[in-house]
Amino acid sequence: VSLGVIVDDSRGGTPGRALALYQKACDLTPEWGCNNLGIRYEDGIGVARDPEKAKALYQCACDAGVEVACQNLAAM
């Protein structure tokens, strides 16, 4: 997940590369990777906006104990 954040936040980083890293993190350990991937789907960053997918990703991260994911889900 940290690599996804670095790529996402760096100058010249591409949303597609960060998206791939978040997806890999979500597949391996659902905590922060799924939350960060949910943000991309909620806001349409590097992917088509998909609120239902975002909700599912937030739920996965929330179930894994990420409080901010629970808050993101509640805000939707």
Short mmCIF file of all heavy atoms in Angstrom, two decimals:
data_model
loop_
_atom_site.label_atom_id
_atom_site.label_comp_id
_atom_site.label_asym_id
_atom_site.label_seq_id
_atom_site.Cartn_x
_atom_site.Cartn_y
_atom_site.Cartn_z
N VAL A 1 0.84 -1.19 0.00
CA VAL A 1 0.00 0.00 0.00
C VAL A 1 0.87 1.24 0.00
O VAL A 1 0.60 2.19 -0.70
CB VAL A 1 -0.95 0.02 1.21
CG1 VAL A 1 -1.71 1.32 1.28
CG2 VAL A 1 -1.89 -1.14 1.14
N SER A 2 1.94 1.24 0.77
CA SER A 2 2.81 2.41 0.84
C SER A 2 3.36 2.76 -0.53
O SER A 2 3.48 3.93 -0.87
CB SER A 2 3.95 2.17 1.82
OG SER A 2 3.44 2.02 3.12
N LEU A 3 3.70 1.76 -1.32
CA LEU A 3 4.21 2.03 -2.66
C LEU A 3 3.15 2.70 -3.51
O LEU A 3 3.44 3.63 -4.26
CB LEU A 3 4.70 0.73 -3.32
CG LEU A 3 5.38 0.88 -4.67
CD1 LEU A 3 6.55 1.86 -4.59
CD2 LEU A 3 5.85 -0.47 -5.16
N GLY A 4 1.91 2.27 -3.38
CA GLY A 4 0.82 2.92 -4.09
C GLY A 4 0.68 4.37 -3.71
O GLY A 4 0.48 5.23 -4.55
N VAL A 5 0.81 4.67 -2.44
CA VAL A 5 0.73 6.06 -1.96
C VAL A 5 1.89 6.87 -2.52
O VAL A 5 1.71 8.00 -2.98
CB VAL A 5 0.71 6.12 -0.42
CG1 VAL A 5 0.81 7.55 0.08
CG2 VAL A 5 -0.55 5.46 0.12
N ILE A 6 3.09 6.32 -2.51
CA ILE A 6 4.25 7.02 -3.04
C ILE A 6 4.06 7.31 -4.52
O ILE A 6 4.28 8.43 -4.98
CB ILE A 6 5.54 6.20 -2.81
CG1 ILE A 6 5.87 6.17 -1.32
CG2 ILE A 6 6.71 6.76 -3.61
CD1 ILE A 6 6.93 5.15 -0.94
N VAL A 7 3.65 6.33 -5.29
CA VAL A 7 3.44 6.52 -6.72
C VAL A 7 2.32 7.51 -6.96
O VAL A 7 2.41 8.37 -7.82
CB VAL A 7 3.13 5.16 -7.41
CG1 VAL A 7 2.65 5.37 -8.83
CG2 VAL A 7 4.35 4.27 -7.39
N ASP A 8 1.26 7.42 -6.17
CA ASP A 8 0.10 8.28 -6.32
C ASP A 8 0.44 9.73 -5.99
O ASP A 8 -0.01 10.65 -6.65
CB ASP A 8 -1.00 7.78 -5.40
CG ASP A 8 -2.38 8.28 -5.79
OD1 ASP A 8 -2.57 8.67 -6.94
OD2 ASP A 8 -3.24 8.28 -4.92
N ASP A 9 1.24 9.94 -4.97
CA ASP A 9 1.52 11.29 -4.50
C ASP A 9 2.75 11.93 -5.14
O ASP A 9 2.97 13.12 -4.99
CB ASP A 9 1.71 11.29 -2.98
CG ASP A 9 0.40 11.02 -2.25
OD1 ASP A 9 -0.66 11.14 -2.89
OD2 ASP A 9 0.45 10.68 -1.07
N SER A 10 3.56 11.15 -5.81
CA SER A 10 4.79 11.71 -6.37
C SER A 10 4.50 12.53 -7.62
O SER A 10 3.52 12.31 -8.31
CB SER A 10 5.79 10.59 -6.70
OG SER A 10 5.31 9.84 -7.79
N ARG A 11 5.38 13.43 -7.91
CA ARG A 11 5.25 14.19 -9.16
C ARG A 11 5.53 13.24 -10.31
O ARG A 11 6.49 12.49 -10.28
CB ARG A 11 6.24 15.34 -9.18
CG ARG A 11 5.97 16.38 -8.13
CD ARG A 11 6.97 17.54 -8.24
NE ARG A 11 6.96 18.32 -7.03
CZ ARG A 11 6.14 19.32 -6.79
NH1 ARG A 11 5.23 19.64 -7.67
NH2 ARG A 11 6.20 19.99 -5.66
N GLY A 12 4.68 13.28 -11.28
CA GLY A 12 4.86 12.41 -12.43
C GLY A 12 4.28 11.02 -12.23
O GLY A 12 4.31 10.20 -13.13
N GLY A 13 3.75 10.74 -11.03
CA GLY A 13 3.10 9.45 -10.81
C GLY A 13 1.82 9.37 -11.63
O GLY A 13 1.20 10.38 -11.92
N THR A 14 1.46 8.19 -12.02
CA THR A 14 0.25 8.05 -12.82
C THR A 14 -0.82 7.34 -12.01
O THR A 14 -0.54 6.39 -11.30
CB THR A 14 0.53 7.22 -14.10
OG1 THR A 14 1.00 5.94 -13.71
CG2 THR A 14 1.57 7.90 -14.97
N PRO A 15 -2.06 7.80 -12.12
CA PRO A 15 -3.15 7.16 -11.38
C PRO A 15 -3.28 5.68 -11.72
O PRO A 15 -3.58 4.87 -10.86
CB PRO A 15 -4.39 7.94 -11.81
CG PRO A 15 -3.89 9.25 -12.26
CD PRO A 15 -2.52 8.98 -12.85
N GLY A 16 -3.03 5.30 -12.97
CA GLY A 16 -3.14 3.90 -13.36
C GLY A 16 -2.15 3.02 -12.64
O GLY A 16 -2.47 1.90 -12.25
N ARG A 17 -0.94 3.50 -12.46
CA ARG A 17 0.08 2.72 -11.75
C ARG A 17 -0.29 2.58 -10.28
O ARG A 17 -0.20 1.50 -9.70
CB ARG A 17 1.45 3.37 -11.91
CG ARG A 17 2.56 2.63 -11.22
CD ARG A 17 2.84 1.29 -11.89
NE ARG A 17 3.92 0.63 -11.17
CZ ARG A 17 3.93 -0.64 -10.84
NH1 ARG A 17 2.94 -1.41 -11.20
NH2 ARG A 17 4.92 -1.16 -10.18
N ALA A 18 -0.72 3.68 -9.66
CA ALA A 18 -1.14 3.62 -8.27
C ALA A 18 -2.34 2.68 -8.13
O ALA A 18 -2.40 1.88 -7.20
CB ALA A 18 -1.49 5.01 -7.75
N LEU A 19 -3.28 2.75 -9.08
CA LEU A 19 -4.45 1.90 -9.04
C LEU A 19 -4.04 0.42 -9.05
O LEU A 19 -4.56 -0.37 -8.27
CB LEU A 19 -5.34 2.21 -10.24
CG LEU A 19 -6.66 1.47 -10.28
CD1 LEU A 19 -7.62 2.05 -9.27
CD2 LEU A 19 -7.26 1.52 -11.66
N ALA A 20 -3.11 0.06 -9.90
CA ALA A 20 -2.65 -1.33 -9.97
C ALA A 20 -2.02 -1.77 -8.65
O ALA A 20 -2.23 -2.90 -8.20
CB ALA A 20 -1.66 -1.49 -11.12
N LEU A 21 -1.26 -0.88 -8.04
CA LEU A 21 -0.63 -1.22 -6.76
C LEU A 21 -1.66 -1.35 -5.64
O LEU A 21 -1.56 -2.24 -4.80
CB LEU A 21 0.43 -0.17 -6.41
CG LEU A 21 1.65 -0.17 -7.34
CD1 LEU A 21 2.50 1.07 -7.11
CD2 LEU A 21 2.47 -1.44 -7.16
N TYR A 22 -2.66 -0.48 -5.63
CA TYR A 22 -3.72 -0.59 -4.63
C TYR A 22 -4.51 -1.88 -4.83
O TYR A 22 -4.90 -2.53 -3.87
CB TYR A 22 -4.67 0.60 -4.69
CG TYR A 22 -4.08 1.90 -4.19
CD1 TYR A 22 -4.30 3.09 -4.85
CD2 TYR A 22 -3.31 1.94 -3.04
CE1 TYR A 22 -3.77 4.28 -4.39
CE2 TYR A 22 -2.77 3.13 -2.57
CZ TYR A 22 -3.01 4.30 -3.26
OH TYR A 22 -2.49 5.47 -2.80
N GLN A 23 -4.75 -2.25 -6.09
CA GLN A 23 -5.48 -3.49 -6.37
C GLN A 23 -4.69 -4.69 -5.84
O GLN A 23 -5.26 -5.58 -5.21
CB GLN A 23 -5.74 -3.65 -7.87
CG GLN A 23 -6.52 -4.91 -8.21
CD GLN A 23 -7.90 -4.92 -7.62
OE1 GLN A 23 -8.72 -4.06 -7.94
NE2 GLN A 23 -8.21 -5.90 -6.78
N LYS A 24 -3.39 -4.68 -6.09
CA LYS A 24 -2.56 -5.79 -5.60
C LYS A 24 -2.58 -5.84 -4.07
O LYS A 24 -2.71 -6.91 -3.48
CB LYS A 24 -1.13 -5.62 -6.11
CG LYS A 24 -0.24 -6.79 -5.78
CD LYS A 24 1.11 -6.67 -6.46
CE LYS A 24 1.91 -7.92 -6.19
NZ LYS A 24 3.17 -7.93 -6.91
N ALA A 25 -2.49 -4.67 -3.44
CA ALA A 25 -2.52 -4.62 -1.98
C ALA A 25 -3.87 -5.11 -1.46
O ALA A 25 -3.93 -5.84 -0.48
CB ALA A 25 -2.24 -3.20 -1.50
N CYS A 26 -4.94 -4.72 -2.12
CA CYS A 26 -6.28 -5.14 -1.71
C CYS A 26 -6.43 -6.65 -1.85
O CYS A 26 -7.02 -7.31 -1.00
CB CYS A 26 -7.32 -4.41 -2.54
SG CYS A 26 -9.02 -4.75 -2.07
N ASP A 27 -5.88 -7.21 -2.91
CA ASP A 27 -5.96 -8.65 -3.13
C ASP A 27 -5.18 -9.43 -2.06
O ASP A 27 -5.61 -10.50 -1.64
CB ASP A 27 -5.41 -9.02 -4.51
CG ASP A 27 -6.30 -8.53 -5.65
OD1 ASP A 27 -7.47 -8.19 -5.40
OD2 ASP A 27 -5.80 -8.47 -6.78
N LEU A 28 -4.05 -8.88 -1.64
CA LEU A 28 -3.19 -9.58 -0.69
C LEU A 28 -3.62 -9.38 0.76
O LEU A 28 -3.68 -10.32 1.53
CB LEU A 28 -1.73 -9.13 -0.87
CG LEU A 28 -1.09 -9.49 -2.21
CD1 LEU A 28 0.28 -8.85 -2.33
CD2 LEU A 28 -1.00 -11.00 -2.37
N THR A 29 -3.86 -8.15 1.13
CA THR A 29 -4.30 -7.81 2.48
C THR A 29 -5.29 -6.66 2.34
O THR A 29 -4.93 -5.59 1.87
CB THR A 29 -3.12 -7.37 3.39
OG1 THR A 29 -2.42 -6.32 2.76
CG2 THR A 29 -2.19 -8.53 3.67
N PRO A 30 -6.53 -6.85 2.72
CA PRO A 30 -7.58 -5.91 2.36
C PRO A 30 -7.61 -4.59 3.12
O PRO A 30 -8.40 -3.72 2.78
CB PRO A 30 -8.86 -6.70 2.65
CG PRO A 30 -8.47 -7.67 3.68
CD PRO A 30 -7.04 -8.03 3.39
N GLU A 31 -6.78 -4.42 4.11
CA GLU A 31 -6.92 -3.24 4.95
C GLU A 31 -6.86 -1.94 4.15
O GLU A 31 -7.85 -1.49 3.63
CB GLU A 31 -5.89 -3.25 6.08
CG GLU A 31 -6.10 -4.36 7.08
CD GLU A 31 -5.45 -5.67 6.68
OE1 GLU A 31 -4.79 -5.75 5.63
OE2 GLU A 31 -5.63 -6.65 7.42
N TRP A 32 -5.73 -1.33 4.06
CA TRP A 32 -5.61 -0.01 3.44
C TRP A 32 -5.69 -0.06 1.92
O TRP A 32 -6.17 0.89 1.30
CB TRP A 32 -4.32 0.68 3.90
CG TRP A 32 -4.48 1.14 5.30
CD1 TRP A 32 -4.00 0.53 6.43
CD2 TRP A 32 -5.21 2.27 5.76
NE1 TRP A 32 -4.39 1.21 7.55
CE2 TRP A 32 -5.14 2.29 7.16
CE3 TRP A 32 -5.93 3.26 5.12
CZ2 TRP A 32 -5.74 3.27 7.93
CZ3 TRP A 32 -6.54 4.24 5.89
CH2 TRP A 32 -6.44 4.24 7.27
N GLY A 33 -5.25 -1.14 1.32
CA GLY A 33 -5.33 -1.23 -0.14
C GLY A 33 -6.75 -1.11 -0.64
O GLY A 33 -7.03 -0.39 -1.59
N CYS A 34 -7.68 -1.79 0.02
CA CYS A 34 -9.08 -1.73 -0.40
C CYS A 34 -9.69 -0.36 -0.13
O CYS A 34 -10.47 0.14 -0.94
CB CYS A 34 -9.89 -2.82 0.27
SG CYS A 34 -9.49 -4.49 -0.32
N ASN A 35 -9.31 0.26 0.97
CA ASN A 35 -9.81 1.60 1.24
C ASN A 35 -9.33 2.57 0.16
O ASN A 35 -10.12 3.33 -0.40
CB ASN A 35 -9.36 2.09 2.61
CG ASN A 35 -9.87 3.49 2.89
OD1 ASN A 35 -11.06 3.70 3.07
ND2 ASN A 35 -8.98 4.46 2.90
N ASN A 36 -8.04 2.54 -0.13
CA ASN A 36 -7.50 3.47 -1.13
C ASN A 36 -8.06 3.18 -2.52
O ASN A 36 -8.31 4.11 -3.29
CB ASN A 36 -5.98 3.40 -1.13
CG ASN A 36 -5.38 3.97 0.14
OD1 ASN A 36 -6.03 4.71 0.86
ND2 ASN A 36 -4.15 3.61 0.43
N LEU A 37 -8.27 1.92 -2.83
CA LEU A 37 -8.88 1.57 -4.11
C LEU A 37 -10.34 2.05 -4.14
O LEU A 37 -10.81 2.56 -5.16
CB LEU A 37 -8.80 0.05 -4.29
CG LEU A 37 -9.09 -0.51 -5.67
CD1 LEU A 37 -8.19 0.12 -6.73
CD2 LEU A 37 -8.91 -2.02 -5.66
N GLY A 38 -11.02 1.94 -3.02
CA GLY A 38 -12.39 2.44 -2.93
C GLY A 38 -12.48 3.93 -3.22
O GLY A 38 -13.40 4.38 -3.90
N ILE A 39 -11.51 4.68 -2.74
CA ILE A 39 -11.48 6.12 -3.01
C ILE A 39 -11.41 6.37 -4.51
O ILE A 39 -12.09 7.24 -5.04
CB ILE A 39 -10.30 6.78 -2.28
CG1 ILE A 39 -10.52 6.75 -0.77
CG2 ILE A 39 -10.09 8.22 -2.78
CD1 ILE A 39 -9.29 7.11 0.05
N ARG A 40 -10.57 5.59 -5.21
CA ARG A 40 -10.43 5.78 -6.65
C ARG A 40 -11.74 5.49 -7.37
O ARG A 40 -12.13 6.21 -8.27
CB ARG A 40 -9.32 4.88 -7.21
CG ARG A 40 -7.99 5.59 -7.23
CD ARG A 40 -7.21 5.31 -5.95
NE ARG A 40 -6.18 6.33 -5.78
CZ ARG A 40 -6.02 7.01 -4.67
NH1 ARG A 40 -6.81 6.85 -3.66
NH2 ARG A 40 -5.04 7.88 -4.56
N TYR A 41 -12.43 4.42 -6.96
CA TYR A 41 -13.71 4.11 -7.60
C TYR A 41 -14.80 5.09 -7.20
O TYR A 41 -15.66 5.43 -8.03
CB TYR A 41 -14.14 2.67 -7.28
CG TYR A 41 -13.45 1.68 -8.18
CD1 TYR A 41 -12.32 0.99 -7.75
CD2 TYR A 41 -13.89 1.46 -9.49
CE1 TYR A 41 -11.66 0.10 -8.59
CE2 TYR A 41 -13.25 0.57 -10.33
CZ TYR A 41 -12.14 -0.11 -9.87
OH TYR A 41 -11.49 -0.99 -10.71
N GLU A 42 -14.78 5.59 -6.00
CA GLU A 42 -15.78 6.57 -5.59
C GLU A 42 -15.62 7.88 -6.38
O GLU A 42 -16.60 8.47 -6.83
CB GLU A 42 -15.68 6.87 -4.10
CG GLU A 42 -16.72 7.85 -3.63
CD GLU A 42 -16.67 8.14 -2.14
OE1 GLU A 42 -15.77 7.64 -1.43
OE2 GLU A 42 -17.55 8.90 -1.69
N ASP A 43 -14.37 8.30 -6.56
CA ASP A 43 -14.11 9.58 -7.21
C ASP A 43 -13.81 9.47 -8.70
O ASP A 43 -13.66 10.49 -9.37
CB ASP A 43 -12.93 10.27 -6.51
CG ASP A 43 -13.25 10.64 -5.08
OD1 ASP A 43 -14.45 10.73 -4.73
OD2 ASP A 43 -12.31 10.83 -4.29
N GLY A 44 -13.67 8.25 -9.23
CA GLY A 44 -13.35 8.09 -10.65
C GLY A 44 -11.92 8.49 -10.99
O GLY A 44 -11.68 9.10 -12.02
N ILE A 45 -10.98 8.16 -10.13
CA ILE A 45 -9.58 8.51 -10.35
C ILE A 45 -8.88 7.32 -11.02
O ILE A 45 -8.66 6.30 -10.40
CB ILE A 45 -8.86 8.84 -9.03
CG1 ILE A 45 -9.56 10.00 -8.33
CG2 ILE A 45 -7.38 9.16 -9.28
CD1 ILE A 45 -9.08 10.25 -6.92
N GLY A 46 -8.59 7.45 -12.31
CA GLY A 46 -7.91 6.39 -13.05
C GLY A 46 -8.82 5.27 -13.48
O GLY A 46 -8.38 4.34 -14.14
N VAL A 47 -10.09 5.32 -13.09
CA VAL A 47 -11.10 4.32 -13.45
C VAL A 47 -12.43 5.03 -13.64
O VAL A 47 -12.60 6.16 -13.22
CB VAL A 47 -11.27 3.24 -12.36
CG1 VAL A 47 -10.03 2.41 -12.19
CG2 VAL A 47 -11.67 3.86 -11.04
N ALA A 48 -13.38 4.32 -14.24
CA ALA A 48 -14.73 4.87 -14.33
C ALA A 48 -15.32 4.92 -12.92
O ALA A 48 -15.10 4.00 -12.12
CB ALA A 48 -15.59 4.00 -15.23
N ARG A 49 -16.02 5.97 -12.62
CA ARG A 49 -16.65 6.11 -11.30
C ARG A 49 -17.63 4.96 -11.10
O ARG A 49 -18.45 4.67 -11.97
CB ARG A 49 -17.37 7.46 -11.24
CG ARG A 49 -17.84 7.82 -9.88
CD ARG A 49 -18.37 9.27 -9.86
NE ARG A 49 -18.83 9.59 -8.54
CZ ARG A 49 -20.00 9.20 -8.02
NH1 ARG A 49 -20.83 8.48 -8.75
NH2 ARG A 49 -20.34 9.54 -6.80
N ASP A 50 -17.53 4.29 -9.96
CA ASP A 50 -18.38 3.13 -9.67
C ASP A 50 -18.67 3.10 -8.17
O ASP A 50 -17.95 2.46 -7.40
CB ASP A 50 -17.68 1.85 -10.12
CG ASP A 50 -18.55 0.62 -10.02
OD1 ASP A 50 -19.55 0.64 -9.27
OD2 ASP A 50 -18.22 -0.38 -10.70
N PRO A 51 -19.72 3.80 -7.74
CA PRO A 51 -20.04 3.87 -6.31
C PRO A 51 -20.29 2.51 -5.67
O PRO A 51 -19.92 2.30 -4.52
CB PRO A 51 -21.29 4.74 -6.26
CG PRO A 51 -21.28 5.52 -7.53
CD PRO A 51 -20.62 4.64 -8.54
N GLU A 52 -20.89 1.58 -6.39
CA GLU A 52 -21.17 0.26 -5.81
C GLU A 52 -19.88 -0.50 -5.54
O GLU A 52 -19.74 -1.14 -4.51
CB GLU A 52 -22.11 -0.54 -6.71
CG GLU A 52 -23.51 0.04 -6.78
CD GLU A 52 -24.14 0.26 -5.41
OE1 GLU A 52 -24.10 -0.67 -4.59
OE2 GLU A 52 -24.66 1.36 -5.16
N LYS A 53 -18.94 -0.42 -6.46
CA LYS A 53 -17.65 -1.07 -6.24
C LYS A 53 -16.92 -0.40 -5.09
O LYS A 53 -16.29 -1.07 -4.26
CB LYS A 53 -16.80 -1.04 -7.51
CG LYS A 53 -15.51 -1.79 -7.36
CD LYS A 53 -14.92 -2.20 -8.69
CE LYS A 53 -13.67 -2.98 -8.45
NZ LYS A 53 -13.64 -4.24 -9.10
N ALA A 54 -17.00 0.94 -5.02
CA ALA A 54 -16.37 1.67 -3.92
C ALA A 54 -16.94 1.20 -2.58
O ALA A 54 -16.19 0.95 -1.63
CB ALA A 54 -16.58 3.17 -4.09
N LYS A 55 -18.26 1.05 -2.51
CA LYS A 55 -18.89 0.59 -1.27
C LYS A 55 -18.39 -0.79 -0.87
O LYS A 55 -18.10 -1.04 0.30
CB LYS A 55 -20.41 0.56 -1.42
CG LYS A 55 -21.06 1.92 -1.42
CD LYS A 55 -22.57 1.78 -1.60
CE LYS A 55 -23.22 3.14 -1.73
NZ LYS A 55 -24.67 3.03 -1.95
N ALA A 56 -18.28 -1.69 -1.85
CA ALA A 56 -17.80 -3.04 -1.56
C ALA A 56 -16.36 -3.03 -1.05
O ALA A 56 -16.01 -3.76 -0.12
CB ALA A 56 -17.93 -3.92 -2.80
N LEU A 57 -15.53 -2.18 -1.65
CA LEU A 57 -14.13 -2.08 -1.23
C LEU A 57 -14.03 -1.46 0.17
O LEU A 57 -13.26 -1.93 1.01
CB LEU A 57 -13.33 -1.27 -2.24
CG LEU A 57 -13.11 -1.98 -3.58
CD1 LEU A 57 -12.72 -1.00 -4.66
CD2 LEU A 57 -12.07 -3.08 -3.42
N TYR A 58 -14.80 -0.41 0.42
CA TYR A 58 -14.82 0.18 1.76
C TYR A 58 -15.28 -0.84 2.80
O TYR A 58 -14.73 -0.92 3.90
CB TYR A 58 -15.74 1.39 1.81
CG TYR A 58 -15.24 2.63 1.11
CD1 TYR A 58 -16.14 3.51 0.51
CD2 TYR A 58 -13.89 2.95 1.04
CE1 TYR A 58 -15.72 4.66 -0.13
CE2 TYR A 58 -13.46 4.09 0.40
CZ TYR A 58 -14.38 4.95 -0.18
OH TYR A 58 -13.96 6.09 -0.81
N GLN A 59 -16.31 -1.62 2.44
CA GLN A 59 -16.82 -2.63 3.37
C GLN A 59 -15.74 -3.65 3.70
O GLN A 59 -15.58 -4.03 4.86
CB GLN A 59 -18.05 -3.33 2.79
CG GLN A 59 -18.70 -4.29 3.76
CD GLN A 59 -19.30 -3.56 4.96
OE1 GLN A 59 -20.18 -2.73 4.79
NE2 GLN A 59 -18.82 -3.87 6.15
N CYS A 60 -15.00 -4.08 2.70
CA CYS A 60 -13.92 -5.04 2.90
C CYS A 60 -12.87 -4.48 3.87
O CYS A 60 -12.44 -5.15 4.80
CB CYS A 60 -13.29 -5.39 1.55
SG CYS A 60 -12.03 -6.65 1.63
N ALA A 61 -12.48 -3.23 3.64
CA ALA A 61 -11.48 -2.60 4.51
C ALA A 61 -12.05 -2.35 5.90
O ALA A 61 -11.36 -2.53 6.90
CB ALA A 61 -10.99 -1.29 3.89
N CYS A 62 -13.31 -1.96 5.98
CA CYS A 62 -13.97 -1.73 7.27
C CYS A 62 -14.01 -3.03 8.07
O CYS A 62 -13.68 -3.05 9.26
CB CYS A 62 -15.37 -1.18 7.04
SG CYS A 62 -16.30 -0.84 8.55
N ASP A 63 -14.38 -4.11 7.41
CA ASP A 63 -14.41 -5.42 8.06
C ASP A 63 -13.04 -5.84 8.57
O ASP A 63 -12.94 -6.59 9.53
CB ASP A 63 -14.95 -6.48 7.11
CG ASP A 63 -16.43 -6.31 6.80
OD1 ASP A 63 -17.12 -5.54 7.51
OD2 ASP A 63 -16.89 -6.94 5.83
N ALA A 64 -11.99 -5.33 7.92
CA ALA A 64 -10.61 -5.64 8.32
C ALA A 64 -10.11 -4.70 9.42
O ALA A 64 -8.98 -4.81 9.86
CB ALA A 64 -9.68 -5.59 7.11
N GLY A 65 -10.97 -3.76 9.85
CA GLY A 65 -10.62 -2.91 10.97
C GLY A 65 -10.12 -1.52 10.65
O GLY A 65 -9.62 -0.82 11.53
N VAL A 66 -10.29 -1.06 9.41
CA VAL A 66 -9.84 0.28 9.04
C VAL A 66 -11.00 1.26 9.29
O VAL A 66 -11.98 1.30 8.54
CB VAL A 66 -9.38 0.34 7.57
CG1 VAL A 66 -8.97 1.75 7.18
CG2 VAL A 66 -8.23 -0.63 7.34
N GLU A 67 -10.89 2.03 10.37
CA GLU A 67 -11.97 2.92 10.78
C GLU A 67 -12.31 3.95 9.70
O GLU A 67 -13.49 4.25 9.47
CB GLU A 67 -11.61 3.62 12.09
CG GLU A 67 -12.70 4.53 12.62
CD GLU A 67 -14.02 3.82 12.92
OE1 GLU A 67 -13.99 2.64 13.30
OE2 GLU A 67 -15.07 4.47 12.76
N VAL A 68 -11.31 4.49 9.03
CA VAL A 68 -11.59 5.50 8.00
C VAL A 68 -12.40 4.89 6.86
O VAL A 68 -13.22 5.56 6.25
CB VAL A 68 -10.29 6.20 7.50
CG1 VAL A 68 -9.45 5.28 6.63
CG2 VAL A 68 -10.62 7.47 6.76
N ALA A 69 -12.20 3.61 6.58
CA ALA A 69 -13.00 2.94 5.55
C ALA A 69 -14.46 2.85 6.00
O ALA A 69 -15.38 3.04 5.20
CB ALA A 69 -12.44 1.55 5.26
N CYS A 70 -14.68 2.59 7.28
CA CYS A 70 -16.04 2.58 7.82
C CYS A 70 -16.67 3.96 7.70
O CYS A 70 -17.86 4.08 7.34
CB CYS A 70 -16.03 2.14 9.29
SG CYS A 70 -15.32 0.50 9.58
N GLN A 71 -15.89 4.98 7.94
CA GLN A 71 -16.39 6.36 7.81
C GLN A 71 -16.69 6.68 6.35
O GLN A 71 -17.70 7.33 6.05
CB GLN A 71 -15.37 7.34 8.38
CG GLN A 71 -15.19 7.19 9.88
CD GLN A 71 -13.98 7.95 10.41
OE1 GLN A 71 -13.28 8.62 9.67
NE2 GLN A 71 -13.74 7.82 11.70
N ASN A 72 -15.80 6.25 5.43
CA ASN A 72 -16.03 6.48 4.01
C ASN A 72 -17.33 5.80 3.56
O ASN A 72 -18.12 6.37 2.81
CB ASN A 72 -14.86 5.97 3.18
CG ASN A 72 -13.61 6.80 3.34
OD1 ASN A 72 -13.67 7.95 3.76
ND2 ASN A 72 -12.48 6.23 3.01
N LEU A 73 -17.52 4.59 4.04
CA LEU A 73 -18.73 3.84 3.69
C LEU A 73 -19.98 4.54 4.23
O LEU A 73 -20.96 4.70 3.50
CB LEU A 73 -18.62 2.42 4.27
CG LEU A 73 -19.74 1.45 3.98
CD1 LEU A 73 -19.92 1.25 2.47
CD2 LEU A 73 -19.49 0.13 4.67
N ALA A 74 -19.93 4.98 5.46
CA ALA A 74 -21.06 5.67 6.06
C ALA A 74 -21.38 6.98 5.34
O ALA A 74 -22.54 7.37 5.22
CB ALA A 74 -20.81 5.94 7.53
N ALA A 75 -20.34 7.63 4.83
CA ALA A 75 -20.53 8.92 4.14
C ALA A 75 -21.18 8.76 2.77
O ALA A 75 -21.74 9.71 2.23
CB ALA A 75 -19.19 9.64 4.00
N MET A 76 -21.12 7.56 2.23
CA MET A 76 -21.73 7.32 0.92
C MET A 76 -23.21 7.13 1.12
O MET A 76 -24.06 7.17 0.45
CB MET A 76 -21.12 6.11 0.23
CG MET A 76 -19.68 6.35 -0.17
SD MET A 76 -19.05 5.01 -1.19
CE MET A 76 -19.85 5.39 -2.74
#
